[in-house]
Amino acid sequence: MLKKIKLPQKIIAIIFLLTLFLSSIFFSGCFKKTTVFGPSIDRLEVWGVFDDSDAYEKIFYEFKKKNPSIKEIRYKKISANAAEYEKILFDEIASGRGPDVFMFHNSWLFKHKDKLAPMPDSEKNINVFKENFVDVATKDFIKENQIYAQPLHIDTLALFYNQDLFNQAGIANPPTTWDDLSKNIRALTKIDSGGNISQSAVALGRSKDPGGINRAVDILALLFLQGGNPIVNESGKAVFGDDVASRSALDFYIQFAQGGSANYTWNANMDYSIDSFRYGKTAMMFNYAYQAERLRISDPKLNFSIAPMLQLSQENRKDYANYWGLAVTKTGRFDPEKPQNDPDYNTERIKKSWDLIKFITSKSGKTTNFDATQEYLNRTKKVPARRDLLELAKDDPKIGVFARQALTAVSWEQPDNSAVDDIFSQLIDDAVSGKTNSFEALRQAAASINALFMKKQKTIR
């Protein structure tokens, strides 16, 4: 039989106090698990341009499987027109009705950076970004060691040519340089007895209607870049205004629409360039991969091929980039049921939004049986911006040319892409009409672009 042990009162008191102390520590949370349960984010909204919802359905399904806390991802196609999309998007963001994740153009960073939430821990992920994506994306989407967007695809200008017209002219292969192009002009241009152009060799020389040329601004910008002028320097100043090479580039471009030129092949009486090409009245034009897909659908009988973009030198290729990535809004969509003013809530929203972007665009969305980026590209027929997928696309009969150009794609910092388009269009048409000489037209355009930079910098301050 066990005997009861009687403890001294002093020891009992010490045990009692020790028990109280340990209990207070336990209930204060010191012995809790380190997991902190933050605000719950169960829904994300994604806005896009061009793409229909079926491009993302399986991607969102797979993301939710890996992230069960996300119950719903809504996709909304805002417009199939880039300018309209931009206006609606940023008006809605300003009024608190914007998305969490949205399509972001590669020329928008200077103009819209203040509305974006950069990737959390960007500096730790910059090398991963560079390993994953083509070089031009680093220039367009990273600023001051912050990642503001990740590319989902990439597009570049290429040469579209009518195979039937080339065959009729006895030209076996398309030109590869701008010098080669000039050699083909006479063989592909037809001018009737009244001086009217019944067949044009190439859509070059003008910008706006009448005789409008699609992507004229991009073509001229590429000529500047190929000539060695960055258009805008690292200090954010336009530097093409007094540049001799840029003046030569402008003079080269407008000669195709000047009656006294040996390369005369375009004028204000021509149909819009894309229409003229699809009607078989123009042998060559310069455009992007998405335009090729549109032509195949709208004009299945048009016998056209695509060749690499013309260069000044094949040893120093430069191809013009035009593409979209995914970005995150700095502030979320207003919801009276959510703690919008809670910084922890918005931090978690930004984190989940970036998790979705990384899943869609990078290798983090890749498993043995599923690759989110590849799923998107298969649905949309677009060109990969991811380096590993470019290798698979280089031999594709439809997008191979564009895939091979992605690694040599270039761009330049624009203060406002739509305003720049107007300035460059005016520059071209003033110069070709003789309203202003090339030198003065360039100086005026450079001054206008510098004014845009200064205006934006003042609003930031």
Side-chain angles (χ1 to χ4, degrees), residues 16-34:
F16 177 74
L17 290 172
L18 184 62
T19 302
L20 284 176
F21 175 71
L22 291 174
S23 297
S24 67
I25 292 175
F26 181 84
F27 288 109
S28 70
C30 289
F31 288 169
K32 286 182 183 179
K33 293 180 180 180
T34 56

Side-chain angles (χ1 to χ4, degrees), residues 45 89-90 93 98-102 115-118 327-333 346 349-350 353-354 357:
E45 187 152 333
L89 170 68
F90 290 106
I93 288 175
D100 299 297
V101 176
F102 63 98
K115 306 169 187 78
L116 308 183
V328 175
T329 50
K330 183 179 285 187
T331 55
R333 185 179 184 85
N346 200 43
R349 181 194 66 84
I350 290 169
S353 297
W354 269 105
I357 289 177

